[in-house]
Amino acid sequence: FTSTREIMLNFILKPCCSYLNKLPVRTLTIKPKNIFSSGSSKGRKGPPYNHFVQVGDPVLRIKCDPVNPSDINTEPIQSVITAMKYALKRFDGVGISAPQVGVPLQIMMVQFTSSQLNCWTEDMQQSREMEVIPLKILINPKLKIIDSDQVSHSESCCSMHGFSALVPRCRKVSLTGLDQTGKEIKWSSSGWAARIAQHEYDHLSGKMFVDRAMVETLTFDYWNIVNSRLGDFKLGYGGIQAGPRKWFISGWGFKQGK
């Protein structure tokens, strides 16, 4: 953990119209000690966010820094964990990593609730080796492959909202790390749980599911709705809203046909 290291991200919004010509060059400076905005999340404009950042945000391509174990119980690190938990619930996700809330640190979470499990048929639950996963929080995780047999299933990502593709993953892995209190933790997973674990672990190295996907299978999950509505379709990024309709059908295939 290099607390004084600065991660400099300089990039230019290339103009594609007269409006963008007026936009300034955006320079983002991230320092591990002060990347956290002060104040409440309601008025906060910077990370940790309560939403999933989207592909194109440079933080998703950064190799994340480890967390100093002595800092785990401090307010800045706990605020990241709180934001991650909130976003995971808000967007009905099955996993999340710290860069997905805008913070390039090695923190990941995995969860698969009974309600998410019940979105699948029993046959699909068995074929994908699905089971309920209580919330797992791993800080500075290390992944070891236990069974290298490759299994391909559809994946997507809350940071690439609306898209999915077939991704080959190892059938069984083991992770070690620290929990949210700083205690050592070990978790062995197989099947669907191992898939989610590998997906989130990849985020900590700046990788996304499309980097491992069979690119020819990349699909916009709502293409048929776009057609049926003759293009009158909007995709939201605000999470689950009040009322019976959710923001989206989770990209981890909460569609019986996948």
Side-chain angles (χ1 to χ4, degrees), residues 12-39:
I12 300 174
L13 290 172
K14 297 184 178 179
C16 61
C17 63
S18 59
Y19 172 74
L20 287 181
N21 282 330
K22 299 177 183 178
L23 292 177
V25 173
R26 176 183 170 189
T27 301
L28 178 64
T29 303
I30 303 174
K31 298 180 181 180
K33 272 194 172 181
N34 62 354
I35 55 179
F36 315 103
S37 300
S38 59

Side-chain angles (χ1 to χ4, degrees), residues 139-210:
I139 300 171
N140 302 339
K142 300 295 182 184
L143 184 145
K144 180 180 179 181
I145 296 172
I146 305 300
D147 185 343
S148 61
D149 285 351
Q150 298 284 295
V151 181
S152 295
H153 286 302
S154 182
E155 281 185 32
S156 75
C157 181
C158 287
S159 288
M160 196 170 169
H161 179 30
F163 290 87
S164 62
L166 288 176
V167 182
R169 297 282 188 186
C170 295
R171 184 179 172 276
K172 188 173 183 178
V173 299
S174 175
L175 289 103
T176 56
L178 303 174
D179 67 11
Q180 63 182 322
T181 67
K183 295 180 180 178
E184 293 185 358
I185 183 175
K186 181 177 181 179
W187 178 42
S188 295
S189 59
S190 60
W192 200 245
R195 175 172 297 275
I196 301 172
Q198 291 170 82
H199 178 112
E200 298 307 329
Y201 186 79
D202 275 352
H203 275 301
L204 305 183
S205 299
K207 296 182 183 298
M208 299 189 69
F209 81 99
V210 288

Side-chain angles (χ1 to χ4, degrees), residues 110-126:
V110 172
Q111 178 179 262
F112 197 52
T113 66
S114 58
S115 61
Q116 291 170 334
L117 177 65
N118 291 334
C119 289
W120 298 82
T121 64
E122 290 187 7
D123 287 344
M124 289 186 174
Q125 291 178 25
Q126 292 177 5

Side-chain angles (χ1 to χ4, degrees), residues 68-79:
N68 188 328
S70 65
D71 291 337
I72 289 176
N73 289 300
T74 63
E75 191 279 331
I77 299 301
Q78 289 299 313
S79 72

